[in-house]
Each structure stands twice: as structure tokens, then as C-alpha cells.
Amino acid sequence: MLRGLWFWLFFFLLFSCKNEQEGKDDLKENKAGLSVFNMSSMFSESENWLSFPVWFNDSVLKMNGIKEIRRRVYHISINDLEDSDDIEDIPRETRVYHFDRQGTIKSVEIAFLFDDQEIGRVAYVFTPTDIPNYFSVKTIVGEQVNYNELIRELPFKQHNLISRSKKGMTFVEMETGNHLHIMTDLKYFGPLSVDSIFHPHPEDLIVLGRPAKMKKKYNVVNKVHESNVHLFSYTRDGFPMTIERSEFPFNNKRFVTYDKNSRCVGYIDSTFSEGAFLTAITSEFKLNEQGLPVKQNRFKESGKRKTRIAFEEYEYDFYETNR
């Protein structure tokens, strides 16, 4: 009987330890949650890819019945810091995003401001295609500016499809003529497969994975040597964790941050050189009662010094039947 008692005691302890460890693992994995922003593309150079406007999570937009997001961007200069009472009132740029009831983006209007005066305006209207994440784009420019001059100065890129197969897709960037090759099938992610399928030039860009959830983005020097490499990592549930960019001699790494309720509350961009930490920019979201971001503050950290260098504000309009 004593041997039986020890057996059941050992089994209970083993089972308890296993459950406790599994609980810790689950807690670790559940530190991430779905944000209104697609954190693998928002607040990065991917915002300039107009043909792939995957900057938001459509499921969150649909669930909340979001019709419109108004975004105001402020940049703080040394002069602003000396007169900090005024910086809250003068945005440098505004963006208004429009969505349908399914959370699909319809358009974005962008206004550029200087001393509270509008100096340029452009709008982009998006039409979905049969290719996931890929939209056709119509450009509308305000009458007060020269169309060709404004388009030439803007950082935005548009891509046209030129080939498509089961193995991948190739687009041409309208502004430069360079190619964007997208590989979505995991079995062709190797460098030799990419080379044999796309025959890329050094100026071409390779994306492994969907634009809304990239695994890797890079240029090729030759068949096996790469440059401008971006690596994306996700939680087990598919939420963004890190984006790492390596370009000798620097290594930049973005950490997406979450609170104890699994809500995205910001991100940290850290710069390293040969393994040594150089500097960091911390971005923090202020959330409303619905968990939607209403403000973002950006701070530059160097040593013990922390200075706010920019901030953004967000307002929402909702479909009436969903509220």
C-alpha cells in the first residue's frame, strides 16, 4: 500500500509540474494580441507600398465597425522643444483612411502641412484584385499643386503585376522599373529556388511570405549572398514579435511590445554595431477604453537621457449599425 501511495504522489507531482510549465509557456505565447495596426508593416517603409495597403488588421476594423481613421503626425524639432506649448496644435501631416464594413481599405487622403497651412494634398483609391493583399491604385492630386512635381517628391511606390504562377509572382515598380518578387510557397524559400524561378537582379527585392505577413525581405548580390535583409518573427498564434534588419556594420531590431492583457502598446527600435548597443527609439501607444490606440509618443533614448522626438494622434468614425 505504501508503494501505491508513493506512485500516486509521484504521478500527482509530475502532472502538476507539467501543467505549471505548460501554463508558463502559454502565458509567454499569449503576451501578444491582434491590434488595429498590422505591426509587421505599419510604421515602416512598407507604408510606402501603395499597391499592398496591408497596414491594418481587417478583422479588428470589422469587429469594431470602424469606418474611418484620422491620423495626425507631429515631428518635434529643437525649436519646438523651446516652445513646447504650441507643438500639440500644429501637425506636419494628416492621413485619413476609409474602410468598408468588412474592414477592407477603400482610400487614404494625405495632406502635408507647414506652419498650419496645407502645402500639398494627394489621395489614393484602392480596388481589391484577385491576388490577396494586392490592390489597383488610382491617384488623385489636389488642384493647388503640380501633379508631376508632387508625385516625384513623394516616397510612395506602386507596383504592376507582370507574371504570376503557382511558384510566385513578379511585379514591376512603376517609378524605377525594378522588380518585386514575392514567394508565398514555403518549399521554394531557399536561395537556389529563388534564383532559378525569378533570376533576380541586385536592384530587385525579394519577399518570402505574403506582404501582410512577411517572413523575409531582402536584395540579392548573387545566388547565395544577400543584402538589406529584413527578418520577421511571429508568435505561435501569428502575432508580430520582432523585425530585424542587418546592413553592415549596423543591426537594427524592432521589438513589438504588449501589456499583460495581450494588447499591443508600442514597439522599440534598437540599433547595434558589432553586438554593442548604440541607441533606441521607443514608441508607446495610449489606448482608449475599447483598446484602440488614440496616441503614439516616440522617445529617443541614449544612455539615461530620454527625449520625445515625435508623436501621432488617432481618431475614429464608426458605422452606426455596428455601435
Side-chain angles (χ1 to χ4, degrees):
M1 178 157 178
L2 186 59
R3 289 181 60 188
L5 180 62
W6 278 110
F7 171 81
W8 286 110
L9 180 61
F10 173 79
F11 179 83
F12 174 78
L13 290 174
L14 180 63
F15 182 80
S16 299
C17 291
K18 181 180 180 182
N19 278 352
E20 181 181 357
Q21 185 60 46
E22 288 179 349
K24 289 180 180 179
D25 291 341
D26 290 342
L27 182 64
K28 181 179 180 180
E29 287 293 333
N30 289 333
K31 284 292 184 182
L34 203 58
S35 168
V36 67
F37 300 131
N38 177 4
M39 295 303 296
S40 65
S41 62
M42 195 66 165
F43 312 114
S44 72
E45 61 183 20
S46 295
E47 279 200 71
N48 295 329
W49 291 13
L50 293 173
S51 302
F52 305 93
V54 291
W55 314 308
F56 302 90
N57 285 306
D58 53 7
S59 59
V60 176
L61 296 167
K62 179 181 179 180
M63 180 178 63
N64 288 276
I66 296 175
K67 180 180 181 180
E68 180 180 294
I69 297 178
R70 293 184 295 277
R71 175 185 180 189
R72 292 187 294 273
V73 181
Y74 302 76
H75 299 284
I76 302 173
S77 68
I78 298 299
N79 294 331
D80 292 329
L81 295 175
E82 294 174 354
D83 192 13
S84 59
D85 292 337
D86 296 331
I87 62 175
E88 301 283 345
D89 302 324
I90 308 177
R92 306 295 173 89
E93 180 183 321
T94 64
R95 299 192 182 195
V96 183
Y97 306 89
H98 304 271
F99 311 93
D100 66 17
R101 292 180 180 273
Q102 300 304 310
T104 302
I105 191 167
K106 297 195 301 182
S107 64
V108 58
E109 303 169 43
I110 306 173
F112 304 95
L113 310 172
F114 182 77
D115 284 343
D116 210 22
Q117 299 293 317
E118 184 175 310
I119 59 175
R121 175 178 289 269
V122 62
Y124 298 99
V125 180
F126 305 107
T127 303
T129 70
D130 63 339
I131 301 176
N133 303 159
Y134 178 60
F135 290 66
S136 64
V137 184
K138 180 180 179 181
T139 304
I140 303 173
V141 175
E143 296 180 357
Q144 76 277 25
V145 297
N146 181 281
Y147 178 90
N148 292 328
E149 182 179 345
L150 180 62
I151 295 301
R152 186 168 55 250
E153 292 180 354
L154 294 177
F156 303 117
K157 301 177 181 179
Q158 294 189 43
H159 295 83
N160 287 335
L161 177 70
I162 59 175
S163 68
R164 179 185 184 186
S165 70
K166 293 181 179 180
K167 294 182 178 180
M169 297 171 287
T170 294
F171 302 83
V172 61
E173 184 184 322
M174 296 171 58
E175 293 74 18
T176 65
N178 296 332
H179 289 165
L180 168 65
H181 306 287
I182 298 180
M183 182 75 73
T184 57
D185 194 328
L186 180 64
K187 66 183 178 182
Y188 298 116
F189 278 12
L192 296 181
S193 295
V194 169
D195 181 75
S196 64
I197 294 170
F198 293 131
H199 309 292
H201 293 92
E203 298 81 11
D204 296 346
L205 192 63
I206 310 295
V207 168
L208 305 183
R210 296 180 291 109
K213 190 178 179 182
M214 291 182 279
K215 303 290 187 182
K216 185 176 180 179
K217 180 174 66 173
Y218 63 100
N219 297 93
V220 294
V221 178
N222 52 43
K223 288 185 179 182
V224 295
H225 290 86
E226 304 167 351
S227 66
N228 192 29
V229 179
H230 294 67
L231 297 175
F232 301 76
S233 70
Y234 301 85
T235 68
R236 187 168 52 194
D237 294 324
F239 301 126
M241 285 198 308
T242 63
I243 303 173
E244 187 170 1
R245 177 182 178 184
S246 299
E247 191 67 23
F248 183 83
F250 299 107
N251 180 271
N252 301 289
K253 193 166 187 177
R254 170 171 292 185
F255 301 84
V256 183
T257 55
Y258 301 86
D259 67 9
K260 63 181 180 180
N261 295 316
S262 302
R263 302 178 303 181
C264 179
V265 292
Y267 52 97
I268 302 172
D269 293 313
S270 299
T271 302
F272 305 85
S273 178
E274 297 182 351
F277 171 77
L278 298 180
T279 186
I281 295 178
T282 301
S283 299
E284 302 172 353
F285 294 136
K286 178 181 178 182
L287 308 181
N288 63 13
E289 293 180 354
Q290 290 75 39
L292 298 173
V294 293
K295 191 169 186 177
Q296 176 186 174
N297 285 308
R298 287 199 186 102
F299 301 92
K300 184 175 182 179
E301 299 184 36
S302 182
K304 295 182 178 180
R305 186 177 181 181
K306 184 176 181 180
T307 305
R308 189 169 73 151
I309 58 173
F311 64 96
E312 300 186 5
E313 295 176 334
Y314 315 103
E315 294 181 351
Y316 303 84
D317 278 344
F318 303 89
Y319 284 103
E320 292 184 1
T321 56
N322 290 66
R323 303 300 295 169

